[in-house]
Amino acid sequence: MSAAASATAAVRAEANPPFLSMSGISKRYDATQALRDVAFSAESGVVHALVGENGAGKSTLVKIITGAVQADTGQILVNGAPMGIESPLAAQRLGIRVVHQHVSLVPHLSVSENIHLGAMPTRIGGLWIDWRAAHERAERALEAIGFSGIDVRLPVSSLSLGQRKIVEITKACVVRPRILIMDEPSAALSFDERGRLFDLIRQLKSDATSIIYISHDLDEVLEIADRVTVLRDGMIIGTMPAATTDKRQIVEMMVGRVVNDIFPDRHARPGRQEEVLSLKGLSCGARFDDVSFTVAKGEIVGLYGLIGSGRTEVARCIFGADQPTSGEIQLKGRVVRPRSPRDALRAGIAMLTEDRTRDGLVLFLSTCDNISLANFDRTSRYGLIQRRRQRAMVTEKVAELGIRPKNIDQPVRSLSGGNQQKVALAKWLLARVDVLILDEPTWGVDIAAKQDIYEVIRRVAAEGMAILLISSELPEVIGMSDRILVMRRGRLVGEVPRRDATERNLVALAAGSMG
Amino acid sequence: MVSTTQKWWPTRSELRLSWLDLGLIVALVVLVIAGTWFAESFLTQRNFSNLLRQIVANGLVSLGMLIVILTGGIDLSVGSIVALGGVLFAGLTDQIGIGPAILVAMAAGAAVGIVNGTAIARFKLQPFIVTLATMGIVRGIVFIYTETPIVPAHAGFRDLGSSVVGLVSVGMIIMLACYALGWIFLNRTPAGRATVAVGGNEEAVRLAGINVNRTIVLAYTLCGVLSALSGAILVSRLGIAQPSLGVAYELDAIAACVIGGAVLGGGGGGVIGTFLGVLTLGLINNLLNLMGVKSFYQEIVKGSLILLAVLIASRRKR
């Protein structure tokens, strides 16, 4: 840590006076302390990279700088004067612009309308849109940042993901920004486009723009950034000049935490078991490519990767929510092609989705209804629900998972996050499937519920279920899995047996800093 | 802790009325007292018998509308389906008899519902637009079928809407039976639970391995069948089937559902609330008629009531 601290001091000494400087910034969301006493600055003509694991606090910091949320405590200085950034509009007036990780364009409007959104060139005192001028200006703006060749008359919805990203970047640069924040800007870009993006960044830099660059890709960070700040658990771990650091040091700073021992003891698994799920060269367009692996009976296989690495997309294909473009899925040696979640479920594959409130639960319905939803074939006869059977089954699962409250008629909206997640899980446990895919099974769940969920996962695995565990939480992946698969940019880049898995080597694989 | 008896009928907890239901019951009591006070012919057996006959048409349409609203949709074509069911029933009774004529009418309603549901579920079109289109198409078909009112000669034609068993008409008994079946459908069958769940979170239902498209098509089909049945009972009561029957019925049906606590866009509402909504709306109409209030004032009262109901529902949510 002392090395990092002295590095920070060195940076401070050489830097220009910062355009934006923040100190003592803290932010709490309900039970989570998202940021703790953070100091951060953005100097003119400097590319400042922000790195950290998912949930380290990067996006919260960006939201504070862009006025989307307010810090609980702390001070923000702009050009040396204290300033409150109370809204996104206020941030824009200060010249703070963002290229969001997820494209935020209006799909059915044209490229030029999106670039000029809210400031279309007009005639006759704002009564008439000057389309010719709008298109010309949009074309010029694209050229100025080095990306011509997009038809500005086309609706954004007809563009590729990479092209949309370029439009988004153009939009942010059309009024010369003082600070440009780029959140994973290269994720959807081709190699060539990425080169031009870096040219643009260098050009902006020479125009004294301050750039805050967020990326999971450490190669890229070291290539383009002047300085690197590492966030972990809402705290700044260190800031150092990019020239004097390397990937190893950054990864160490990103993960440097002890693995909590909240994982249940594992029983030695009996020798080689039959393969239940097997993927052979599964690909899905640009989302992921040539993914092959197997999961055996009773095995828990972890799937780790940074956001955008394609792990959720693989799971969705297995579960029939999306269709693969090539490759095959085998279940117990038989090829299956699930066209819908319904098909997958019939074949014996279930998936606990990442976001329970978005696509896992019907919030206004009761615990009983939600758990029954995937299990009507077992609880009904002649098209009528057998109430006694249904309630007995649900009640048993509620007791087994320790769901509170025990009253199964309560709407799940009124349950805590942990209990909601248990309800979503109970739905699939009741369905008696062969393969259970868990996508971030303990996201937003408190420690006690986490432990309960871990125990249940272990138990159903011991009973013979094949489990694919997707998680961004390293301790969870390492603590729960028999083997860990790592994905990066849509490809499987490694398989690590449990005994060799460390946070450091997994992050290194996922961020591409190995080999 | 868990009731161990297996029941088709509601358990005590399922019959527990919501605050909105209780509010409606209070409103109904107030309306009855006010009616007794202001209109001397109100509290007569004759008037009540009339009232119970009158609400049947809107009652059946509202039940269908409720099922559609629960999925997060809306059906504007119900008024035209009422007319379709009415003229088919009246036109065919003399040739094929009452029973078969009703079945044909209901089958026609089902056909429109299947078209609506398929366009919405399979082709992902907006319910409002799809049913606005079929509203026009079906009305046109009705006028092609007959431009002049039909008055069947069949002796039993008027029984359905007019003949009385005790205090209630045959139509009322049919309506009550449909409400009971509707309750069982929505609370006791997988298809019904799926219907309610789709309006809350369609993606979660799809990922639970349920056929969402089929669920939506079924909802519009049931709505079509109930609307056609409503039309048949209505013409039986009136003794005449006009092609302009049922115009603007969709508005009264939506009103009854909303007053009864249904949430447009899905996520709330039930058979009991809708029943109370139908009753309230019917009672207000009846009362204002007896008091000789002009129909445009009635519209103002109804409109205000809808606003009030929505306002109460939105307050309660917070």
Side-chain angles (χ1 to χ4, degrees):
Chain A
M1 188 54 99
S2 69
S6 64
T8 308
V11 167
R12 210 169 278 145
E14 51 142 42
N16 317 319
F19 172 67
L20 173 100
S21 132
M22 313 164 82
S23 57
I25 300 286
S26 295
K27 176 73 191 175
R28 172 181 278 276
Y29 292 110
D30 297 330
T32 20
Q33 187 76 41
L35 289 177
R36 215 184 300 258
D37 194 23
V38 163
F40 185 80
S41 60
E43 282 85 3
S44 302
V46 170
V47 179
H48 195 158
L50 200 53
V51 298
E53 279 191 88
N54 302 333
K58 290 170 301 187
S59 19
T60 308
L61 186 57
V62 167
K63 280 183 188 160
I64 290 172
I65 298 175
T66 56
V69 300
Q70 311 301 309
D72 298 335
T73 60
Q75 195 182 30
I76 302 176
L77 300 178
V78 177
N79 273 333
M83 185 79 74
I85 305 178
E86 68 279 356
S87 70
L89 192 65
Q92 280 194 13
R93 290 217 178 101
L94 290 169
I96 300 170
R97 294 271 165 167
V98 203
V99 177
H100 291 284
Q101 182 184 2
H102 300 288
V103 178
S104 57
L105 300 170
V106 188
H108 56 273
L109 294 187
S110 69
V111 170
S112 30
E113 269 174 293
N114 269 288
I115 289 176
H116 298 302
L117 203 64
M120 287 292 280
T122 52
R123 274 193 211 160
I124 330 177
L127 288 176
W128 202 261
I129 290 178
D130 188 347
W131 280 105
R132 182 188 298 227
H135 294 326
E136 269 170 16
R137 265 187 235 177
E139 265 160 13
R140 247 183 290 133
L142 276 165
E143 262 166 42
I145 71 161
F147 291 97
S148 43
I150 294 176
D151 186 348
V152 296
R153 288 162 187 81
L154 288 178
V156 161
S157 57
S158 68
L159 303 183
S160 74
L161 215 55
Q163 288 175 317
R164 289 183 204 191
K165 202 84 197 188
I166 291 164
V167 172
E168 176 109 17
I169 295 169
T170 312
K171 186 179 154 189
C173 294
V174 82
V175 178
R176 174 80 51 226
R178 292 299 311 268
I179 297 181
L180 182 61
I181 301 169
M182 303 176 119
D183 194 353
E184 300 281 351
S186 66
L189 299 186
S190 68
F191 188 75
D192 181 44
E193 287 167 336
R194 190 204 301 236
R196 280 188 279 166
L197 171 69
F198 284 4
D199 289 344
L200 168 68
I201 292 176
R202 291 191 190 98
Q203 183 197 324
L204 287 167
K205 217 170 99 170
S206 64
D207 291 347
T209 306
S210 157
I211 291 157
I212 299 172
Y213 195 91
I214 299 167
S215 177
H216 278 120
D217 193 319
L218 298 182
D219 286 322
E220 185 176 293
V221 163
L222 289 176
E223 185 184 342
I224 195 68
D226 300 307
R227 300 207 270 150
V228 182
T229 288
V230 181
L231 267 173
R232 189 212 311 150
D233 296 334
M235 286 181 289
I236 301 269
I237 303 304
T239 299
M240 53 256 164
T244 65
T245 186
D246 57 17
K247 278 180 279 191
R248 252 190 68 183
Q249 190 191 8
I250 297 175
V251 168
E252 247 172 39
M253 291 168 80
M254 277 166 69
V255 300
R257 96 170 91 94
V258 269
V259 182
N260 302 341
D261 208 13
I262 58 167
F263 303 98
D265 287 338
R266 46 199 303 100
H267 307 288
R269 287 192 333 110
R272 201 65 196 152
Q273 290 263 13
E274 55 166 319
E275 281 172 8
V276 178
L277 176 73
S278 147
L279 266 57
K280 300 220 162 97
L282 203 69
S283 306
C284 183
R287 294 180 193 159
F288 61 87
D289 194 35
D290 194 23
V291 171
S292 306
F293 62 82
T294 62
V295 186
K297 190 166 189 233
E299 195 181 22
I300 303 176
V301 173
L303 186 56
Y304 178 74
L306 302 168
I307 284 174
S309 59
R311 38 181 206 167
T312 298
E313 288 75 6
V314 170
R316 285 178 62 89
C317 271
I318 303 172
F319 187 49
D322 294 322
Q323 299 305 312
T325 45
S326 67
E328 64 180 35
I329 304 166
Q330 287 186 2
L331 195 65
K332 291 178 169 168
R334 272 193 2 259
V335 176
V336 289
R337 300 220 68 181
R339 296 250 157 243
S340 64
R342 186 175 166 75
D343 278 358
L345 213 63
R346 280 212 191 118
I349 306 170
M351 174 166 171
L352 182 71
T353 53
E354 188 176 8
D355 187 342
R356 57 183 166 265
T357 57
R358 194 186 62 209
D359 48 26
L361 296 168
V362 184
L363 289 176
F364 80 98
L365 288 182
S366 68
T367 301
C368 180
D369 275 326
N370 271 287
I371 295 178
S372 307
L373 217 48
N375 299 290
F376 284 136
D377 51 338
R378 290 181 64 202
T379 57
S380 62
R381 197 185 295 161
Y382 314 121
L384 271 174
I385 296 168
Q386 308 288 299
R387 255 172 80 75
R388 181 164 29 171
R389 203 176 145 72
Q390 178 197 33
R391 296 181 71 85
M393 279 168 129
V394 169
T395 306
E396 192 193 315
K397 283 293 165 209
V398 164
E400 195 182 313
L401 274 82
I403 295 171
R404 295 282 176 284
K406 283 186 193 164
N407 177 2
I408 61 174
D409 294 317
Q410 201 107 329
V412 293
R413 187 174 37 208
S414 65
L415 270 53
S416 71
N419 282 304
Q420 285 184 353
Q421 189 68 353
K422 287 182 187 175
V423 170
L425 185 60
K427 176 168 72 178
W428 296 125
L429 297 185
L430 204 53
R432 288 195 297 208
V433 289
D434 300 316
V435 177
L436 180 59
I437 305 168
L438 304 166
D439 195 357
E440 303 285 359
T442 62
W443 180 78
V445 158
D446 61 277
I447 288 282
K450 257 185 188 178
Q451 244 162 330
D452 289 349
I453 290 171
Y454 292 147
E455 259 162 40
V456 170
I457 295 173
R458 273 285 160 72
R459 195 175 59 235
V460 295
E463 285 163 13
M465 210 181 261
I467 289 175
L468 182 63
L469 169 70
I470 302 173
S471 175
S472 315
E473 264 189 68
L474 283 164
E476 178 170 298
V477 179
I478 297 169
M480 290 297 295
S481 316
D482 297 312
R483 292 182 284 135
I484 298 145
L485 308 167
V486 181
M487 286 191 74
R488 172 169 186 256
R489 289 208 197 140
R491 285 177 173 276
L492 214 52
V493 291
E495 175 177 332
V496 185
R498 173 188 163 80
R499 60 176 183 282
D500 300 336
T502 63
E503 299 203 5
R504 193 190 296 178
N505 63 18
L506 290 182
V507 168
L509 272 172
S513 60
M514 253 187 176
Chain B
M1 187 184 67
V2 175
S3 81
T4 47
T5 47
Q6 196 165 314
K7 290 174 179 172
W8 286 25
W9 54 89
T11 60
R12 197 175 301 167
S13 68
E14 283 169 322
L15 275 182
R16 194 177 299 146
L17 297 171
S18 71
W19 287 108
L20 197 65
D21 294 340
L22 289 173
L24 278 175
I25 290 172
V26 171
L28 283 169
V29 171
V30 170
L31 280 171
V32 170
I33 293 171
T36 322
W37 191 269
F38 289 114
E40 46 188 73
S41 56
F42 178 75
L43 208 60
T44 58
Q45 191 187 331
R46 193 185 135 81
N47 183 46
F48 265 87
S49 169
N50 256 335
L51 170 66
L52 290 183
R53 260 195 293 258
Q54 281 160 3
I55 64 170
V56 170
N58 186 34
L60 286 169
V61 176
S62 297
L63 180 61
M65 186 68 81
L66 170 73
I67 295 170
V68 166
I69 287 178
L70 284 173
T71 67
I74 192 113
D75 190 347
L76 302 181
S77 66
V78 288
S80 300
I81 302 176
V82 165
L84 182 68
V87 296
L88 281 178
F89 173 60
L92 295 174
T93 302
D94 285 346
Q95 286 123 53
I96 61 176
I98 290 180
I102 282 203
L103 288 180
V104 171
M106 284 163 68
V112 180
I114 289 170
V115 171
N116 282 337
T118 307
I120 290 159
R122 181 82 183 75
F123 300 107
K124 310 282 169 227
L125 304 178
Q126 286 173 3
F128 189 96
I129 304 299
V130 168
T131 59
L132 183 68
T134 50
M135 170 171 125
I137 294 169
V138 172
R139 178 68 65 187
I141 292 172
V142 169
F143 272 94
I144 292 171
Y145 184 76
T146 176
E147 276 185 68
T148 51
I150 303 172
V151 186
H154 194 288
F157 173 69
R158 304 211 55 186
D159 287 354
L160 210 50
S162 310
S163 76
V164 170
V165 182
L167 194 71
V168 293
S169 66
V170 174
M172 187 69 193
I173 291 168
I174 293 175
M175 180 188 123
L176 289 175
C178 286
Y179 268 76
L181 288 174
W183 191 92
I184 291 170
F185 170 71
L186 289 176
N187 292 283
R188 291 286 182 271
T189 69
R193 289 324 283 164
T195 303
V196 177
V198 162
N201 189 342
E202 188 172 326
E203 188 60 8
V205 176
R206 193 172 80 92
L207 294 181
I210 287 170
N211 191 331
V212 170
N213 287 1
R214 202 166 61 194
T215 305
I216 291 174
V217 172
L218 179 64
Y220 284 89
T221 307
L222 287 174
C223 184
V225 169
L226 286 165
S227 301
L229 180 62
S230 164
I233 295 175
L234 181 63
V235 296
S236 166
R237 173 163 73 83
L238 300 173
I240 180 170
Q242 288 177 312
S244 60
L245 205 67
V247 169
Y249 268 35
E250 65 279 356
L251 299 182
D252 272 6
I254 296 168
C257 290
V258 169
I259 290 171
V263 180
L264 288 185
V271 168
I272 297 173
T274 300
F275 183 75
L276 292 173
V278 168
L279 223 51
T280 309
L281 216 54
L283 203 57
I284 288 175
N285 275 339
N286 175 269
L287 198 56
L288 295 176
N289 274 334
L290 289 184
M291 287 163 67
V293 177
K294 293 208 173 78
S295 68
F296 40 84
Y297 288 110
Q298 296 188 18
E299 295 303 318
I300 294 176
V301 172
K302 265 196 277 183
S304 311
L305 192 71
I306 295 169
L307 279 182
L308 187 69
V310 177
L311 189 69
I312 291 170
S314 77
R315 291 279 131 181
R316 198 184 36 163
K317 224 175 228 173
R318 268 174 223 165

